[in-house]
Amino acid sequence: MPSKRICLVLIAVGLAPLMGCGSPSIFSSSSTSHTAYVTLPNSNAVAAFRIKTSGSSVNNNAEAQFTTIVGSPFPAGSSPTSVLVHPSGKYVYVVNRNENDISLFTINSSIGSLQEVLPRTTTGLTPVSMVMDSGGSYLFVINELSSSISTYSINAGTGALSQIAGSPFTTFNNPFSLAIAPSGKFLYVVNPDLTSVIAYTIASGVLTPVAGLPAQVGNGPRAITVDPAGTFVYVTNSADNTVSVLNINPGTGALTLLGTFATGITPTSVVALDTYLYVGNQGSTNVSAFTVTPVTGVLTEITSSPFSVGIAPLFEVLDPDNLFLYVGSQTANSVTALSIDTSTGALAETSQSAATGVSPSSMGVTK
Amino acid sequence: MASKRLGIVCKRTAIFLFMVFSVVTAASSLSAGQIAPQWEFFGGYSYMRFDSPPLGYPSWSNLNGFNGEVTYNITRRFSVTADGSGGYGSMITAYNYMIGPQYNLRKDKSKYFAHAFIGKAENTIGITTLIKSGFESVGRAYAFGGGYDRDLTPRFTFRVMADYLHTDTFGTSQTDVRISTGLVFHLGHFGRRPKL
């Protein structure tokens, strides 16, 4: 039965490509993937990328691969400046700065494309930044011209926003950036015109100023973040080229300045990863990396820091698996992946980046 | 990146070996010739492993659909085949229209063949945005593959075949694998009829 044998062999050989031939199989992959959304104010759109990551966090032995999702960029409102991904991975929120509203997008679960759900939700004047609590129940939006904070509850089933009674809450003139404690109990706001951090307690989305004087920081506070443990608040002082470390009173949310540490030139972004802190220096086109001493909050710059990124970093976003620091540049019109060595905190440039075509302003990544 | 390229090279090598193996083994083992119809019309089910990651998908997509071919036999061994297929998956529709030469080796009720096609791919991603519904891209397509036919009656043949399919759409390239099976209808012939 030579013909039968031949037939079987031919079929087996023909199917070999499907089995992957011992190389990385087309049926499975050890890599993980996330979708990333980047606001493009000049295009009134949101770019969408799939980021496939693989490798180890040790010795910067990780790879990230960006792929533009078909249909990207997706139309948004006028001048979208800030983006957030809901923890469920189902919704994306974008503030449209020139339109004074928020776009809600649903994320297509198959490919990661965005479809906007109309109508848009009204904010105050010139919304510039927003944060969400870790449970995805409340959304807080800073209105720069209105000098207020709009607060919305989020419908878990539809993603729809409903403004909380009493919102918008008045704050100091021209608020610019905000951060929320992991507990969801405290909100912190900075204003480049002030040298202080305004603190609020949160109760069912309602904001109440923390008693006492605002905590003092440096000049031109620009970016703010809270560490994952909810112990420290970090503020970049873009006019002083420093970063301030403040301690959070876990009971009241009040802040106490612990210290101020030198960064590169014009620090405009900051992210905290466990005991590491990364400050993006737009003026010196690099990222300063620090280790954080527990309790005291003292920052010690990591060997080889600052790390050159070759572009002027405007924003930084951590990879959900903590393998990469994604850095966005308005001058390079791109988002670049820097690998993180989690044993030392050191960063390493990778050749991986995503071209956005126009200036990006913020980025959100699905978990 | 390097591992992906390695996988593609491996796939291409496997298909090339498949084609070479088809020709060599069949040529060495076949002597008597099967009847050669003038025309062959194939229709059947097609499964495609679609290379959707370059389009933004997290993994490869499984497409189910159809495959049809019309083959004109110029000689008992050489023919020209027009191939059309459609695959449907999660928000993906893939159509391919190709034509190319085919080499056939026949013995009694069996036929082994290898072919190479070139043509057009038309891929559509069914996503909806505020201003558009469905994103379509048309580009080049080419394929290499082969298969096996087994006569059921003088007019009908059972076929199974596999192809490596390359398409260039949405500004990226996709390297797919397509497996098809179905029936072939014969029309006209030269040579002797098989004993069934």
Side-chain angles (χ1 to χ4, degrees):
Chain A
M1 290 266 113
S3 62
K4 273 188 179 176
R5 283 199 299 272
I6 290 167
C7 178
L8 287 172
V9 170
L10 285 178
I11 290 172
V13 175
L15 290 177
L18 281 174
M19 299 304 131
C21 197
S23 66
S25 170
I26 60 175
F27 282 116
S28 63
S29 171
S30 60
S31 63
T32 59
S33 81
H34 308 281
T35 47
Y37 303 97
V38 180
T39 49
L40 309 173
N42 295 338
S43 297
N44 299 329
V46 180
F49 300 95
R50 174 145 326 261
I51 307 176
K52 277 199 169 182
T53 62
S54 60
S56 162
S57 60
V58 179
N59 297 325
N60 299 111
N61 186 27
E63 287 186 10
Q65 183 184 355
F66 292 85
T67 304
T68 302
I69 291 174
V70 166
S72 172
F74 299 96
S78 178
S79 192
T81 54
S82 181
V83 61
L84 277 181
V85 178
H86 192 268
S88 67
K90 293 180 179 176
Y91 315 112
V92 163
Y93 299 90
V94 172
V95 291
N96 302 305
R97 179 190 170 101
N98 293 351
E99 206 173 88
N100 305 321
D101 57 26
I102 303 168
S103 292
L104 161 65
F105 295 88
T106 55
I107 300 175
N108 184 294
S109 59
S110 295
I111 189 171
S113 60
L114 298 179
Q115 182 172 6
E116 187 170 359
V117 180
L118 295 176
R120 292 169 182 154
T121 304
T122 303
T123 64
L125 297 178
T126 320
V128 290
S129 185
M130 59 183 169
V131 293
M132 189 181 295
D133 66 319
S134 58
S137 302
Y138 297 101
L139 184 70
F140 305 89
V141 179
I142 274 186
N143 306 303
E144 190 176 18
L145 266 186
S146 300
S147 301
S148 64
I149 303 167
S150 297
T151 306
Y152 306 87
S153 64
I154 299 172
N155 183 313
T158 64
L161 301 176
S162 302
Q163 194 155 196
I164 296 285
S167 170
F169 300 94
T170 303
T171 185
F172 285 82
N173 285 345
N174 303 320
F176 187 78
S177 184
L178 75 175
I180 190 169
S183 65
K185 290 179 174 177
F186 311 117
L187 187 76
Y188 302 100
V189 179
V190 292
N191 174 330
D193 300 332
L194 301 174
T195 55
S196 57
V197 180
I198 318 301
Y200 297 88
T201 59
I202 305 169
S204 301
V206 175
L207 302 181
T208 306
V210 170
L213 291 173
Q216 294 300 297
V217 290
N219 291 303
R222 181 78 177 267
I224 182 170
T225 193
V226 182
D227 77 316
T231 308
F232 302 118
V233 166
Y234 306 100
V235 177
T236 62
N237 306 303
S238 60
D240 289 348
N241 302 328
T242 58
V243 58
S244 297
V245 182
L246 304 103
N247 179 250
I248 300 175
N249 181 316
T252 65
L255 299 177
T256 306
L257 181 65
L258 297 176
T260 301
F261 304 87
T263 64
I265 299 169
T266 320
T268 53
S269 58
V270 59
V271 296
L273 166 63
D274 297 329
T275 57
Y276 303 120
L277 188 74
Y278 299 100
V279 177
N281 306 303
Q282 197 169 22
S284 48
T285 66
N286 54 24
V287 174
S288 299
F290 303 90
T291 55
V292 183
T293 305
V295 183
T296 65
V298 170
L299 301 184
T300 306
E301 195 154 12
I302 289 171
T303 306
S304 301
S305 174
F307 298 93
S308 173
V309 292
I311 55 175
L314 177 72
F315 59 85
E316 299 170 291
V317 177
L318 274 174
D319 170 66
D321 302 318
N322 298 332
L323 289 171
F324 295 94
L325 182 68
Y326 301 115
V327 179
S329 167
Q330 283 191 316
T331 54
N333 297 338
S334 67
V335 175
T336 299
L338 301 176
S339 66
I340 301 172
D341 184 340
T342 51
S343 62
T344 64
L347 301 174
E349 272 192 272
T350 70
S351 58
Q352 313 299 327
S353 66
T356 55
V358 294
S359 298
S361 62
S362 68
M363 177 175 172
V365 184
T366 58
K367 287 189 167 55
Chain B
M1 205 65 186
S3 61
K4 187 182 177 187
R5 199 174 297 120
L6 179 67
I8 292 169
V9 170
C10 187
K11 278 191 287 182
R12 289 178 177 171
T13 305
I15 287 173
F16 176 72
L17 289 174
F18 164 63
M19 294 168 63
V20 171
F21 190 79
S22 300
V23 174
V24 172
T25 54
S28 63
S29 60
L30 304 183
S31 54
Q34 183 210 38
I35 188 173
Q38 195 76 62
W39 292 89
E40 298 175 32
F41 300 90
F42 166 71
Y45 165 78
S46 174
Y47 164 81
M48 189 190 294
R49 190 71 173 165
F50 186 80
D51 183 13
S52 50
L55 307 182
Y57 280 75
S59 57
W60 290 62
S61 298
N62 298 312
L63 308 188
N64 295 289
F66 67 87
N67 189 187
E69 288 186 346
V70 177
T71 299
Y72 177 74
N73 289 307
I74 301 168
T75 68
R76 290 183 70 260
R77 291 202 167 181
F78 291 99
S79 51
V80 174
T81 298
D83 177 286
S85 66
Y88 310 92
S90 174
M91 300 177 59
I92 298 177
T93 304
Y95 293 107
N96 298 286
Y97 316 99
M98 298 178 289
I99 191 166
Q102 181 165 295
Y103 183 73
N104 310 291
L105 287 169
R106 306 168 191 273
K107 180 188 178 185
D108 295 333
K109 299 177 184 179
S110 297
K111 182 181 91 172
Y112 305 91
F113 58 92
H115 52 220
F117 297 144
I118 190 164
K120 191 174 80 168
E122 188 178 320
N123 295 333
T124 303
I125 308 299
I127 59 178
T128 302
T129 69
L130 266 188
I131 56 174
K132 197 174 179 182
S133 184
F135 287 76
E136 182 186 281
S137 179
V138 176
R140 181 184 63 164
Y142 61 83
F144 305 99
Y148 172 72
D149 281 1
R150 180 76 174 176
D151 287 343
L152 301 175
T153 72
R155 288 289 185 195
F156 286 98
T157 296
F158 170 76
R159 171 173 294 179
V160 58
M161 64 179 181
D163 289 285
Y164 159 83
L165 174 63
H166 178 105
T167 59
D168 295 314
T169 58
F170 293 107
T172 66
S173 295
Q174 300 86 45
T175 52
D176 316 319
V177 175
R178 185 183 67 179
I179 299 173
S180 304
T181 185
L183 293 177
V184 183
F185 176 68
H186 296 177
L187 199 62
H189 67 87
F190 43 80
R192 63 177 175 77
R193 286 191 176 282
K195 297 169 186 174
L196 297 173

